[in-house]
Amino acid sequence: MIEDDAAARLTAVRAEIARAAALAGRKADDVTLIAVSKTQDAGAIAPLIAAGQRVFGENRVQEAEAKWPALKEAAAGIELHLVGQLQSNKADAAVALFDAIHSVDRTSLIGALGRAMDKADRRPDCFIQVNIGDEPQKGGCAIADLPSLLDEARAAELPVAGLMAVPPHGVDAAPYFALLAKIARDAGLERLSMGMSDDFATAVTLGATHVRVGTALFGARA
Ligand SMILES: *Cc1c(COP(=O)(O)O)cnc(C)c1O
């Protein structure tokens, strides 16, 4: 049954987080599991909610706006995180819907989010996304630009919680996770959004406070 599959996957992912946390002398409770439900419909998401999962991630504002208001009615305590790239013209909608935004990566977006938060009087946690592998096609700011972006984000009264990154595909992610952790430490930032289905345990051993897991919870995306 789909309910049993979802519950079993959730149990397995939670166990792996706990094992990795213990290995690093950390508490499993210090790691937030974000169930990345992009492309999944309500029928796939509901069993995870029933199994106790409350924190979910989406990568598109419009898709989240279509799916989540109804799902949020069905259960208390749902927390939504935006993990995908955000266009400035969707800042108002993102601020209204999400509890955290993981993809803050440029001056224009910081300005748009600051204005949207002022208008809505609502301040979702923000993660600055760093292009940790210096890949031209990827979102995230250059490592060298982080200090000035942090200054801008604070001036705009964005609540900056930490850093987020997506390491290059197909190579060992550990050195990139370690680098992101070092950059966050140097900047005095506590939270680290890193690790996906293939590498979340490694990310936890290297300090992730938020892991973004889709496939390992929902199965492969269509
Ligand atoms: C899709 C996505 C994930 C989840 O990826 P899986 O490999 O399915 O776990 C995590 N982070 C971001 C930014 C994503 O877009």
Side-chain angles (χ1 to χ4, degrees):
M1 256 172 54
I2 189 164
E3 281 79 8
D4 296 341
D5 288 352
R9 286 179 178 142
L10 181 59
T11 301
V13 169
R14 288 202 177 286
E16 209 175 323
I17 289 172
R19 189 189 53 76
L23 206 58
R26 305 180 60 208
K27 285 183 282 188
D29 283 355
D30 292 342
V31 181
T32 299
L33 170 61
I34 303 171
V36 178
S37 50
K38 65 186 184 197
T39 78
Q40 307 294 343
D41 61 16
I45 296 169
L48 269 192
I49 295 176
Q53 179 66 23
R54 287 295 178 271
V55 184
F56 290 85
E58 291 284 344
N59 70 335
R60 286 166 186 270
V61 174
Q62 265 170 316
E63 181 185 339
E65 276 181 323
K67 279 185 339 202
W68 278 98
L71 282 163
K72 273 185 164 180
E73 298 251 305
I78 298 284
E79 208 181 282
L80 273 189
H81 292 235
L82 179 64
V83 302
Q85 287 187 33
L86 176 60
Q87 291 170 295
S88 295
N89 63 8
K90 301 229 169 77
D92 285 319
V95 165
L97 185 64
F98 289 97
D99 301 290
I101 297 171
H102 291 240
S103 49
V104 180
D105 65 355
R106 58 194 190 278
T107 300
S108 56
L109 181 58
I110 288 170
L113 284 171
R115 288 188 294 277
M117 288 184 196
D118 288 344
K119 227 191 304 172
D121 197 17
R122 180 182 150 77
R123 299 192 177 271
D125 283 338
C126 291
F127 291 77
I128 307 287
Q129 184 177 351
V130 178
N131 188 349
I132 199 73
D134 195 20
E135 297 173 279
Q137 80 282 11
K138 268 212 184 127
C141 70
I143 293 171
D145 293 341
L146 180 64
S148 62
L149 274 190
L150 274 174
D151 286 346
E152 290 169 18
R154 289 179 176 133
E157 293 182 61
L158 266 54
V160 177
L163 302 181
M164 178 274 213
V166 182
H169 189 68
V171 296
D172 182 11
Y176 296 98
F177 292 153
L179 178 59
L180 191 72
K182 181 191 182 301
I183 294 169
R185 220 165 28 242
D186 290 349
L189 294 168
E190 285 185 2
R191 300 200 188 150
L192 281 173
S193 168
M194 59 187 197
M196 312 189 353
S197 288
D198 287 341
D199 51 26
F200 65 88
T202 303
V204 168
T205 63
L206 292 167
T209 62
H210 292 68
V211 292
R212 310 178 309 266
V213 178
T215 308
L217 290 171
F218 291 99
R221 281 180 291 276

